[in-house]
Amino acid sequence: MADKKKRRRADPSSDDEEDYGGGGRKPLPFKKRLKADSVILSELKDLTDSFRSSSTSEKTLTLSDLDLSSTCREVCDLDLSSVQDTIERLILRVAQSILSGNGFAFDVPARGNANQLYVPELDRIVLKDKTSLRPYSNASTVRKTTITARILQLVHQLCIKSIHVTKRDLFYTDVKLFQDQTQSDAVLDDVACMLGCTRSSLNVIAAEKGVVVGRLIFSDNGDMIDCTKMGMGGKAIPPNIDRVGDMQSDALFILLVEKDAAYIRLAEDRFYNRFPCIIVTAKGQPDVATRLFLRKMKMELKLPVLALVDSDPYGLKILSVYGCGSKNMSYDSANLTTPDIKWLGIRPSDLDKYKIPEQCRLPMTEQDIKTGKDLLEEDFVKKNPGWVEELTLMVKTKQKAEIQALSSFGFQYLSEVYLPLKLQQKDWL
Amino acid sequence: MADKKKRRRADPSSDDEEDYGGGGRKPLPFKKRLKADSVILSELKDLTDSFRSSSTSEKTLTLSDLDLSSTCREVCDLDLSSVQDTIERLILRVAQSILSGNGFAFDVPARGNANQLYVPELDRIVLKDKTSLRPYSNASTVRKTTITARILQLVHQLCIKSIHVTKRDLFYTDVKLFQDQTQSDAVLDDVACMLGCTRSSLNVIAAEKGVVVGRLIFSDNGDMIDCTKMGMGGKAIPPNIDRVGDMQSDALFILLVEKDAAYIRLAEDRFYNRFPCIIVTAKGQPDVATRLFLRKMKMELKLPVLALVDSDPYGLKILSVYGCGSKNMSYDSANLTTPDIKWLGIRPSDLDKYKIPEQCRLPMTEQDIKTGKDLLEEDFVKKNPGWVEELTLMVKTKQKAEIQALSSFGFQYLSEVYLPLKLQQKDWL
């Protein structure tokens, strides 16, 4: 990465310009360190350019580059008619099997923990190639086989009608058979895996909760959306990524924000006009729609992604879901994950560096500390020495802090000092 | 209301055209009852026109019309400079009191249950005029008095800077004093009450989660938003109602939807193009931003509001929060509530009328039944005999159903049959 050489991890409190006042009336701490916006911008522009050229020359690694394509399984986006075709061919094979006296069964990829693999070169979790037979003529699998056939039929209908439904809709089409929604949900993921396509290719979507604002134009179901003209509320991220396209942007980076409150601050201040960027948030735990949208932006626009999360184990966990996926959806990690997300802040070392007042820091609970220690054992943390250092500091100091803690220096400290200084110092990991 | 006379509460299953099939392949139940869209539309148009003329001639009742303005308290929207003025005058009075030897105290409106009143003529909860003194020179109130002064100072800053912040931001500006967020939140409502203005006038906003789509154009922070061109995702409802304006619409009604999944179905099917309407949802429990937005639409566009909620006590409770407010915010009920919301569905009587299969109905829990019985004692239910009838039926049958239960007749049953038939039959209460 081109930014590695240029990075100066300057401590903002290490020189003589100390102006920390602690109150809203006194000058904002570290504000004097800020260079002119034009200086910060021109450096950022160089960075984005070098990022772009490196990401066009570097081919994204795939399972086959690593000789893993025969032992690992991955799905891809399929259009509706291909999904329909694949279902029809699958059912034809089943019918042939019945006619030739071999009975009715599906060969379903195993999705349990034992079949999961973290691949460091890809920096994400993938599914290994183990499958298990789901025969109709077996008391222990007859229900699941029936559910599988029913889900295949329902998805086939969706393909013909070309409409999207939620998992909840799917469940209610046959409550008698599915009994509870966890059963239809689980088989839905099985079916995506069996067909070798993403869950969104099946036209079954999750309710969206993410919003986006800033220097982005895209089409949503045929309507052109200009995200600089979405006021303070922003544009709701569409639940169906297959109807999103034509992305255009003059942004220099994507700012991924964990929480609502910080998003609102940046949207109202139109931060994206001072530092051209796209601001996106899932308002907490990342949903599938926001993850797909983030990846699509990063891939099509070739922009660096900087993440602003709380300084606690949960914030890092959210970062990891965007970055290398969740275990439940590992079969689709290639489409759901956004590689190379940078941890901008709030980082544990920021607490002292930016002199966050003691009363705005929170003591970590026993559970927090345990989660933090568990994260230190995760591959996606271990491969980044900077992250290990930060997380170790967090667990050692037993302190956490929310993004909102910066409000103790004034409501606009986040948008007027903290983020500009972070960008100026290229202070991300 | 003009629609009362025209209403025919025809039972869709009462004549011979029975075509209920129970499966996706057979004709959709009751679909044959549907008249041509043009017929339904022309009747709806008459209805909206008569609604408009009645709502322009009928003045909205206020506390003073009922001779309650001296015994009840209400707040109004104030612009930023008026809020600033009011704070300055309040602090001046406090200073005078100190200088004249009477000490430092705030006179704070009581907001407890004992000071709440449901006014049937207004159909909402209001606050009575009791206040309590909050003196600085008293060990039991000294902290709260200090917090009140601090919140006044922070809001004063917001007025000068003309920015919006969340309650969480406010809390973090002085964690040492506030200790936990419930304390700063409660005093914030006290302050709004003291100043006689709405909480949104203080520029302290709640995170938004609502979305809107359909025949509506409005301005959000200066940007013109056309909600027919928001794809499937829709437009996120802005958190700051004071920057929303210029509403224009050719809709015939507003469709208020409780849940995401139904919203997505209607947005994808562009239901608002078949039956011109504005579709809005808060995705569950109504937040302040969505409530303010709904009221603003109803008042400025003079459109009837039809509500589509789950058939359970919780759905009716959500309807009541939109309609007559929550106790916590009763001081601002005039701005937060939308009068005369019609209960379109899913109503307890719909379960049999539309032959919702037994397995798609859910048994009510003990808690559900208790909530249902409690609701039967609430004034806002009792004043509407139709609602009492429906709720009594729900408690008697001990059955509830989600909007999604309609998916058992096919994914698009909601948008293609159920809602059009409801509109055709003017089947709302």
Side-chain angles (χ1 to χ4, degrees):
Chain A
M1 285 290 310
D3 61 332
K4 287 262 166 74
K5 272 169 272 165
K6 290 193 200 159
R7 184 183 303 150
R8 299 153 304 157
R9 290 187 53 199
D11 178 350
S13 63
S14 64
D15 63 33
D16 299 319
E17 293 177 63
E18 191 53 73
D19 56 9
Y20 171 62
R25 299 302 179 80
K26 298 185 190 169
L28 292 172
F30 310 123
K31 187 164 182 178
K32 282 192 196 157
R33 308 288 154 82
L34 274 178
K35 296 181 188 166
D37 282 3
S38 57
V39 178
I40 305 177
L41 277 172
S42 99
E43 288 203 30
L44 274 179
K45 213 180 154 311
D46 292 347
L47 198 76
T48 307
D49 289 344
S50 70
F51 176 88
R52 271 208 182 120
S53 57
S54 73
S55 60
T56 40
S57 59
E58 263 175 43
K59 193 176 152 285
T60 311
L61 281 178
T62 64
L63 285 175
S64 61
D65 295 328
L66 301 168
D67 281 330
L68 284 171
S69 56
S70 60
T71 54
C72 289
R73 172 184 306 274
E74 248 175 356
V75 299
C76 60
D77 276 319
L78 289 183
D79 60 30
L80 279 189
S81 66
S82 310
V83 174
Q84 191 182 332
D85 266 13
T86 315
I87 293 175
E88 287 165 4
R89 274 184 282 119
L90 173 66
I91 295 298
L92 214 60
R93 280 202 306 279
V94 168
Q96 282 166 337
S97 162
I98 296 172
L99 290 172
S100 60
N102 295 320
F104 171 22
F106 293 111
D107 199 28
V108 185
R111 298 191 300 109
N113 263 340
N115 206 29
Q116 314 257 0
L117 181 72
Y118 172 81
V119 182
E121 295 87 347
L122 300 175
D123 187 23
R124 53 187 168 83
I125 302 166
V126 299
L127 204 59
K128 290 189 279 183
D129 66 344
K130 204 168 147 275
T131 64
S132 66
L133 204 66
R134 192 174 284 176
Y136 185 74
S137 59
N138 181 321
S140 72
T141 50
V142 57
R143 271 204 67 240
K144 227 166 177 178
T145 312
T146 314
I147 293 176
T148 310
R150 181 75 168 125
I151 295 275
L152 281 165
Q153 184 216 354
L154 290 168
V155 170
H156 191 253
Q157 268 184 36
L158 293 180
C159 294
I160 292 170
K161 291 189 178 170
S162 183
I163 58 169
H164 295 78
V165 299
T166 62
K167 291 169 160 188
R168 192 83 185 143
D169 286 309
L170 207 66
F171 163 67
Y172 264 113
T173 50
D174 204 339
V175 177
K176 208 176 209 157
L177 174 64
F178 301 143
Q179 291 178 356
D180 71 86
Q181 200 189 325
T182 54
Q183 300 194 26
S184 51
D185 285 359
V187 171
L188 185 70
D189 281 321
D190 290 342
V191 163
C193 246
M194 273 167 66
L195 300 178
C197 67
T198 60
R199 195 172 70 197
S200 29
S201 304
L202 303 180
N203 272 16
V204 180
I205 53 180
E208 91 279 16
K209 62 191 180 92
V211 281
V212 59
V213 80
R215 312 281 271 233
L216 173 70
I217 293 174
F218 70 98
S219 67
D220 174 2
N221 209 5
D223 298 328
M224 287 308 295
I225 310 286
D226 182 346
C227 298
T228 60
K229 302 205 172 113
M230 286 294 130
M232 191 160 150
K235 171 74 178 83
I237 290 178
N240 47 340
I241 195 74
D242 53 311
R243 300 212 179 154
V244 168
D246 310 312
M247 285 184 166
Q248 302 158 38
S249 176
D250 63 348
L252 297 177
F253 58 96
I254 297 166
L255 189 60
L256 176 64
V257 179
E258 177 181 344
K259 294 234 218 90
D260 249 33
Y263 169 86
I264 291 176
R265 174 81 279 116
L266 297 170
E268 182 171 58
D269 293 353
R270 304 220 184 213
F271 184 77
Y272 51 83
N273 283 340
R274 183 169 168 199
F275 299 101
C277 64
I278 302 166
I279 304 171
V280 65
T281 181
K283 302 181 183 174
Q285 193 59 36
D287 55 293
V288 169
T290 308
R291 287 160 68 191
L292 287 167
F293 193 81
L294 178 68
R295 180 183 166 86
K296 198 176 174 80
M297 281 199 293
K298 156 111 184 178
M299 289 304 154
E300 299 205 348
L301 305 172
K302 302 202 192 311
L303 291 175
V305 179
L306 308 177
L308 179 66
V309 296
D310 286 345
S311 177
D312 60 23
Y314 194 68
L316 197 59
K317 204 143 193 179
I318 282 180
L319 219 161
S320 88
V321 172
Y322 283 113
C324 35
S326 65
K327 291 202 169 144
N328 186 43
M329 298 283 285
S330 60
Y331 69 87
D332 190 14
S333 64
N335 298 292
L336 281 168
T337 59
T338 305
D340 198 30
I341 297 179
K342 301 297 186 193
W343 189 7
L344 186 71
I346 309 290
R347 295 205 309 270
S349 62
D350 288 346
L351 272 59
D352 281 346
K353 205 191 276 178
Y354 286 87
K355 310 202 173 186
I356 307 278
E358 277 300 322
Q359 67 268 22
C360 295
R361 308 179 187 191
L362 302 166
M364 285 169 79
T365 63
E366 282 305 310
Q367 183 55 46
D368 286 339
I369 294 168
K370 189 185 168 301
T371 309
K373 284 181 178 163
D374 289 349
L375 279 173
L376 276 169
E377 300 304 312
E378 295 276 355
D379 297 312
F380 79 90
V381 172
K382 281 198 282 193
K383 69 161 180 87
N384 193 327
W387 291 22
V388 173
E389 206 177 297
E390 291 283 355
L391 193 54
T392 310
L393 179 68
M394 188 197 297
V395 173
K396 204 186 102 200
T397 58
K398 297 189 172 58
Q399 285 187 325
K400 57 182 182 178
E402 295 181 45
I403 304 171
Q404 260 34 60
L406 294 172
S407 295
S408 57
F409 300 125
F411 296 120
Q412 290 171 297
Y413 191 75
L414 173 72
S415 53
E416 292 190 348
V417 180
Y418 180 81
L419 284 179
L421 202 58
K422 280 268 173 185
L423 293 174
Q424 173 181 315
Q425 300 184 337
K426 300 184 185 59
D427 184 18
W428 51 74
L429 293 176
Chain B
M1 287 290 311
D3 61 332
K4 286 260 166 76
K5 272 168 272 164
K6 290 191 201 161
R7 185 183 303 148
R8 300 153 303 157
R9 290 187 51 200
D11 179 351
S13 63
S14 63
D15 63 34
D16 298 320
E17 293 177 65
E18 190 53 73
D19 57 8
Y20 171 61
R25 298 301 179 81
K26 299 185 190 169
L28 292 172
F30 310 123
K31 188 164 182 177
K32 283 192 196 156
R33 309 288 154 82
L34 273 178
K35 297 181 189 165
D37 282 4
S38 57
V39 178
I40 305 177
L41 277 172
S42 98
E43 288 203 30
L44 273 179
K45 214 181 152 311
D46 292 346
L47 198 76
T48 307
D49 288 345
S50 70
F51 177 88
R52 270 209 183 118
S53 56
S54 73
S55 60
T56 39
S57 58
E58 263 176 42
K59 194 176 152 283
T60 311
L61 281 178
T62 64
L63 285 176
S64 60
D65 295 328
L66 302 167
D67 281 330
L68 283 170
S69 56
S70 60
T71 54
C72 289
R73 172 184 307 273
E74 248 175 355
V75 299
C76 59
D77 275 319
L78 289 182
D79 60 30
L80 280 188
S81 66
S82 309
V83 174
Q84 191 181 333
D85 266 14
T86 315
I87 294 176
E88 287 165 3
R89 273 184 282 119
L90 173 66
I91 295 298
L92 213 61
R93 281 201 306 279
V94 168
Q96 282 166 338
S97 161
I98 296 171
L99 290 172
S100 60
N102 296 320
F104 171 22
F106 293 111
D107 198 27
V108 184
R111 298 191 299 108
N113 263 340
N115 206 30
Q116 314 256 0
L117 181 72
Y118 172 80
V119 182
E121 295 87 347
L122 300 176
D123 188 23
R124 52 186 168 83
I125 303 166
V126 300
L127 204 59
K128 289 188 278 181
D129 66 343
K130 204 169 147 272
T131 64
S132 66
L133 203 66
R134 192 173 283 176
Y136 185 75
S137 59
N138 181 320
S140 71
T141 51
V142 58
R143 270 204 68 239
K144 227 166 177 179
T145 312
T146 314
I147 292 176
T148 310
R150 182 74 167 125
I151 295 275
L152 281 165
Q153 184 217 354
L154 290 169
V155 170
H156 191 253
Q157 269 184 35
L158 293 179
C159 294
I160 292 171
K161 291 189 178 169
S162 182
I163 57 168
H164 295 78
V165 299
T166 62
K167 290 169 160 190
R168 192 83 185 144
D169 286 309
L170 207 67
F171 163 66
Y172 264 114
T173 50
D174 204 338
V175 177
K176 207 177 210 158
L177 174 64
F178 301 143
Q179 291 177 356
D180 72 86
Q181 200 188 325
T182 54
Q183 301 195 26
S184 51
D185 285 358
V187 171
L188 185 69
D189 281 321
D190 290 342
V191 162
C193 246
M194 273 167 65
L195 300 178
C197 67
T198 60
R199 196 172 70 196
S200 29
S201 304
L202 303 180
N203 272 16
V204 180
I205 52 181
E208 91 279 16
K209 63 193 180 89
V211 280
V212 60
V213 80
R215 312 280 272 234
L216 174 70
I217 294 175
F218 70 97
S219 67
D220 174 3
N221 210 3
D223 298 328
M224 286 311 294
I225 310 286
D226 182 347
C227 298
T228 60
K229 301 204 173 114
M230 286 294 130
M232 192 161 150
K235 171 73 178 82
I237 290 178
N240 47 339
I241 196 74
D242 53 312
R243 299 211 181 156
V244 168
D246 310 313
M247 285 184 166
Q248 301 157 37
S249 175
D250 63 349
L252 297 177
F253 58 96
I254 297 166
L255 189 60
L256 176 64
V257 178
E258 177 181 344
K259 294 234 216 90
D260 249 32
Y263 169 85
I264 291 176
R265 174 81 278 117
L266 297 170
E268 182 171 57
D269 292 352
R270 303 219 185 214
F271 183 77
Y272 51 84
N273 284 341
R274 183 168 168 199
F275 299 101
C277 65
I278 303 166
I279 304 171
V280 65
T281 181
K283 302 180 183 175
Q285 192 59 38
D287 54 293
V288 169
T290 308
R291 288 161 67 192
L292 288 167
F293 193 81
L294 178 69
R295 180 184 166 85
K296 198 177 175 79
M297 280 198 294
K298 155 111 183 177
M299 289 304 154
E300 298 205 348
L301 305 172
K302 303 203 192 311
L303 290 174
V305 179
L306 308 177
L308 179 66
V309 297
D310 287 344
S311 177
D312 60 22
Y314 194 68
L316 197 60
K317 204 143 193 179
I318 283 180
L319 220 161
S320 88
V321 172
Y322 283 114
C324 36
S326 65
K327 292 204 168 141
N328 186 42
M329 298 284 284
S330 60
Y331 69 88
D332 191 13
S333 64
N335 298 291
L336 281 169
T337 59
T338 305
D340 198 29
I341 297 179
K342 301 296 185 194
W343 189 7
L344 186 71
I346 311 291
R347 295 205 308 270
S349 63
D350 288 345
L351 272 58
D352 282 345
K353 204 191 277 177
Y354 286 87
K355 309 202 174 186
I356 307 278
E358 276 300 322
Q359 67 268 22
C360 295
R361 308 179 186 191
L362 302 166
M364 285 169 78
T365 63
E366 282 304 310
Q367 183 55 47
D368 286 339
I369 294 168
K370 191 185 167 300
T371 309
K373 286 182 177 161
D374 289 349
L375 279 173
L376 276 169
E377 300 304 312
E378 294 275 353
D379 297 311
F380 78 90
V381 172
K382 281 197 282 192
K383 69 162 178 86
N384 194 327
W387 291 22
V388 173
E389 206 178 298
E390 292 283 356
L391 192 54
T392 309
L393 180 68
M394 186 197 299
V395 172
K396 204 186 102 201
T397 59
K398 296 190 172 57
Q399 286 187 324
K400 56 182 182 179
E402 295 182 44
I403 304 171
Q404 261 33 60
L406 294 171
S407 295
S408 56
F409 300 124
F411 295 121
Q412 290 172 298
Y413 191 74
L414 173 71
S415 53
E416 292 190 349
V417 180
Y418 180 81
L419 284 179
L421 202 58
K422 280 267 174 186
L423 293 174
Q424 173 181 316
Q425 301 184 335
K426 301 184 186 60
D427 184 18
W428 51 74
L429 293 175

